Amino acid sequence: MRREGPLSLMTEHKEAIWTTYSPTTKPDTAVLNRLVDAGVSPRIEVSMSVVNNEILRRHFLELTTNFLAPFGPYMRATTPSEASSPFGNPPPLPPFQAGEFLSSLAARGPGKFLSKRTRSNWLDLYRRFLEGKNFMPWFQKRRRAAEQEQRRLWRQARMTADIKKLISKMSEVEIVDSFNSIEQHLLEEMQSASSSGGSAATCRKMKADLQTVFHVLPKDMQQLLLANPKRASLLYSNPDSPKLPGHPSLQGSAASEAKLLSFLPL
C-alpha cells in the first residue's frame, strides 16, 4: 500500500498509518502464542485476562531488565576485598560517558535475549533512551542509591574488621594512613550519632580501633599526634589497648599516658 502512494486512499477506504518511524523491536511470537483467547463467557474472560496480564507483565519485565543490563556496571556497589583495608575510602563508581557507552555497546552487541527481539537498528533504541529527558534523572537516582549502598557495605565491613590483623601486615606509613582514616570515620560517626541518632556501638568500635592503631606507632609519632587537642580527647577516653608484635609500642603504662594527656588542653 505504501508503494501505491496516497492516491490509493482516494479510491477506496483503507485504514493505515503513514510514518517515517522505523521500529527497533519486532513481535515476540513466543509470547503472542502463549496468550489465551478470552472466549465469550464473562467468567472465562476475566480469568483469561488475569493469565494474559501475568504473561505480558513477565515479558516486559524481562525485556526491560535485559535492556537496562548494560548500565549495571555504572551502578554496582563494591565491597572491600579480604586483602584490603575497609578503613579507606571506597572507589568511585565508573564514570559514564554516553558516546563511549554506545561505542562499547555496539562492539559487544545487544546480547542473546535482545537480538531475537530487536531489529538491526537496535542501537538507535539506546541512543534515543540516552537523549530522552527521563534518562538522566533515572540514572542519577540509581547512582545515588548505589553510592549509598556502597557506603553502607564499607561501613559494615569496618564494623567486622579485625584491626589487629590488618595493621600487623602494614608498614609504618600505612599504619599512619589507617590512623587518619579511622579518626575521620570516627568523627563522622560521632556527628551522625549526635545529629541523626547514629549507632553508639559503631562509635565505640571506631574508637577502639583508633586506640589500637595509636599504640603500635612509635613514641615520637604518638606525641606528635597527641599535640592536637581534639585528637587527644578522642584517645583519652579509652587509654587501654593491647600491644601488637612486630611494631614499636608506647613506652610506659596507661597511667603514664593519662598523665601526659592531662597536660594537653582539651
Side-chain angles (χ1 to χ4, degrees):
M1 177 178 173
R2 189 167 185 173
R3 289 192 297 268
E4 297 175 4
L7 290 178
S8 63
L9 298 176
M10 301 176 64
T11 58
E12 58 180 309
H13 175 72
K14 293 182 179 180
E15 294 183 358
I17 297 178
W18 297 82
T19 178
T20 58
Y21 171 75
S22 298
T24 56
T25 59
K26 50 189 176 182
D28 192 329
T29 55
V31 174
L32 293 176
N33 292 334
R34 290 174 57 195
L35 297 179
V36 184
D37 188 1
V40 294
S41 171
R43 178 178 297 181
I44 296 178
E45 182 177 359
V46 172
S47 60
M48 292 302 99
S49 296
V50 173
V51 174
N52 289 339
N53 285 339
E54 183 62 24
I55 293 174
L56 292 174
R57 186 177 292 109
R58 290 183 180 180
H59 167 68
F60 284 109
L61 175 61
E62 191 174 12
L63 193 64
T64 303
T65 301
N66 281 271
F67 175 78
L68 297 178
F71 297 97
Y74 301 96
M75 307 170 184
R76 187 172 298 130
T78 60
T79 57
S81 62
E82 294 183 1
S84 63
S85 171
F87 296 100
N89 293 323
L93 298 179
F96 179 82
Q97 206 281 328
E100 294 179 0
F101 172 80
L102 291 174
S103 298
S104 175
L105 193 59
R108 296 198 312 268
K112 184 178 180 180
F113 183 86
L114 289 180
S115 63
K116 295 180 179 180
R117 295 162 177 83
T118 55
R119 304 179 190 275
S120 59
N121 60 343
W122 61 271
L123 196 62
D124 290 339
L125 187 61
Y126 281 97
R127 185 176 290 107
R128 293 201 301 269
F129 179 56
L130 294 177
E131 294 173 352
K133 62 181 181 180
N134 293 325
F135 169 73
M136 194 51 66
W138 168 82
F139 184 78
Q140 291 175 344
K141 181 179 179 180
R142 294 291 299 271
R143 290 271 286 194
R144 287 193 297 269
E147 291 169 347
Q148 183 177 0
E149 175 64 10
Q150 183 164 267
R151 287 193 295 269
R152 186 192 69 82
L153 292 173
W154 280 66
R155 182 173 181 263
Q156 186 179 37
R158 289 192 290 270
M159 286 295 295
T160 58
D162 186 345
I163 189 63
K164 300 176 185 178
K165 182 178 179 180
L166 286 173
I167 61 178
S168 65
K169 303 176 182 179
M170 293 181 181
S171 65
E172 184 176 311
V173 174
E174 291 173 328
I175 293 177
V176 174
D177 289 340
S178 296
F179 181 92
N180 293 331
S181 297
I182 296 173
E183 180 186 36
Q184 183 61 37
H185 289 308
L186 174 57
L187 293 173
E188 292 173 356
E189 292 292 344
M190 293 174 64
Q191 183 178 5
S192 175
S194 61
S195 61
S196 58
S199 173
T202 304
C203 293
R204 289 193 296 269
K205 173 64 164 60
M206 292 295 99
K207 185 170 291 188
D209 289 346
L210 189 69
Q211 282 279 346
T212 300
V213 176
F214 175 81
H215 277 277
V216 301
L217 292 172
K219 183 177 180 180
D220 57 343
M221 180 63 69
Q222 292 178 355
Q223 292 177 342
L224 180 63
L225 293 173
L226 291 174
N228 185 311
K230 292 183 179 180
R231 182 177 292 123
S233 65
L234 287 177
L235 293 166
Y236 181 74
S237 60
N238 183 19
D240 297 323
S241 180
K243 300 179 182 179
L244 293 180
H247 290 288
S249 60
L250 179 63
Q251 298 177 1
S253 63
S256 63
E257 179 187 334
K259 183 177 180 181
L260 172 63
L261 290 169
S262 64
F263 290 100
L264 295 173
L266 300 179

